[in-house]
Amino acid sequence: DPDSKITLSMMPYDWFEASVFYTNIEGRPSGSGFRQDYKDKGFNAKFRIKSEGYFPAIALGFHDIGGTGIYSSEYIVGSYGINNFDFHFGLGWGRLSGGDLQFRNFLADLDKSFLYRNSKTENGGEFRINDYFSGKKVGAFGGVSYVANEAFLLKAEYDSTEIPLNQGFPDRSSNYSFGIEYINSPNLSVALNYERGDYYGVKFSWKSNFKEYKHPSFTNNTKSFKSPYEK
């Protein structure tokens, strides 16, 4: 609460992931003269800049690119797997700069402009390049997942997301979330989550490789077609 979100994610390359989301924020007026809740849409992107090897894999990500800025954030994250465990740790800017593990934006040592981030969230459709990796604070986040068996995956994470209360989001009781996910299916996974000390959530995920789909072949029959005017 108060938002409901649907996300479509795609991986055209093994180093690039893109997604588009559509959100309904309950209780916030649309502002367009219609008597309905506020609607928001945006795009996310993640780029793998290093594969896992002796050192962790590293990825660079962007949330809400060109959107209204309600979910706008950037992050850099590292992940590393050991046996049945998979760990990740990252640093976030924008909406990911919350939590208890905050510190000064170190990029300000390169340029003071990194300390300023546009706080307006009304106008979408613009790429706020000047806001990327900007803001006074940087937040740390992390998590771990454990493959218990062929059927279940256990997860725990520390979440640094900070959504302003004036956007209609309630204050959280905790920065920690826990989940259990059923993974014993080639395409469908179902997860039950306990989020931020206040909410239970259910997630359904369906995955598929579109390269495996084959459309039916079409035969050109124009040569066999005979016009009624043809002798």
Side-chain angles (χ1 to χ4, degrees):
D1 290 338
D3 65 343
S4 302
K5 181 183 294 183
I6 183 171
T7 304
L8 175 65
S9 300
M10 297 155 285
M11 292 187 65
Y13 306 99
D14 60 357
W15 52 268
F16 174 59
E17 178 180 324
S19 61
V20 56
F21 66 85
Y22 189 82
T23 305
N24 179 82
I25 302 180
E26 184 180 356
R28 179 178 177 179
S30 64
S32 57
F34 296 99
R35 301 181 64 180
Q36 59 176 310
D37 295 325
Y38 185 83
K39 305 297 189 297
D40 190 25
K41 59 182 178 294
F43 301 91
N44 306 326
K46 183 170 66 174
F47 303 87
R48 188 188 68 199
I49 57 179
K50 179 188 176 302
S51 299
E52 181 178 326
Y54 187 78
F55 294 101
I58 299 176
L60 201 64
F62 302 83
H63 284 169
D64 201 7
I65 302 175
T68 59
I70 294 179
Y71 305 98
S72 176
S73 55
E74 304 81 44
Y75 63 92
I76 182 170
V77 60
S79 60
Y80 196 77
I82 302 176
N83 297 325
N84 287 9
F85 289 90
D86 187 70
F87 303 88
H88 72 270
F89 177 81
L91 301 176
W93 289 257
R95 295 300 181 230
L96 290 174
S97 64
D100 298 323
L101 304 178
Q102 295 181 349
F103 51 91
R104 179 179 177 272
N105 188 357
F106 53 87
L107 294 179
D109 294 334
L110 301 177
D111 195 307
K112 296 298 182 182
S113 63
F114 281 106
L115 291 175
Y116 176 77
R117 189 181 187 96
N118 188 356
S119 60
K120 294 183 179 180
T121 60
E122 296 299 328
N123 298 322
E126 299 179 357
F127 290 92
R128 307 181 184 187
I129 299 178
N130 293 333
D131 285 345
Y132 292 167
F133 302 98
S134 297
K136 295 181 180 180
K137 298 293 184 180
V138 176
F141 61 88
V144 57
S145 62
Y146 173 71
V147 180
N149 50 47
E150 295 180 354
F152 292 101
L153 177 69
L154 306 179
K155 297 181 179 181
E157 72 171 7
Y158 178 84
D159 184 6
S160 65
T161 303
E162 183 177 49
I163 299 294
L165 302 182
N166 59 11
Q167 299 292 339
F169 290 85
D171 195 8
R172 73 183 78 183
S173 299
S174 171
N175 293 320
Y176 294 92
S177 298
F178 304 90
I180 180 171
E181 186 169 356
Y182 178 77
I183 57 174
N184 194 20
S185 172
N187 300 102
L188 178 67
S189 63
V190 181
L192 176 65
N193 307 313
Y194 181 57
E195 304 175 19
R196 303 175 185 176
D198 293 302
Y199 298 97
Y200 289 97
V202 179
K203 181 184 72 172
F204 300 91
S205 298
W206 183 80
K207 304 174 184 180
S208 184
N209 186 351
F210 288 97
K211 291 183 178 181
E212 297 178 355
Y213 286 93
K214 296 181 180 180
H215 63 74
S217 59
F218 295 93
T219 304
N220 188 349
N221 293 322
T222 55
K223 293 183 178 180
S224 61
F225 175 78
K226 186 174 182 181
S227 171
Y229 303 100
E230 183 181 347
K231 294 183 180 180

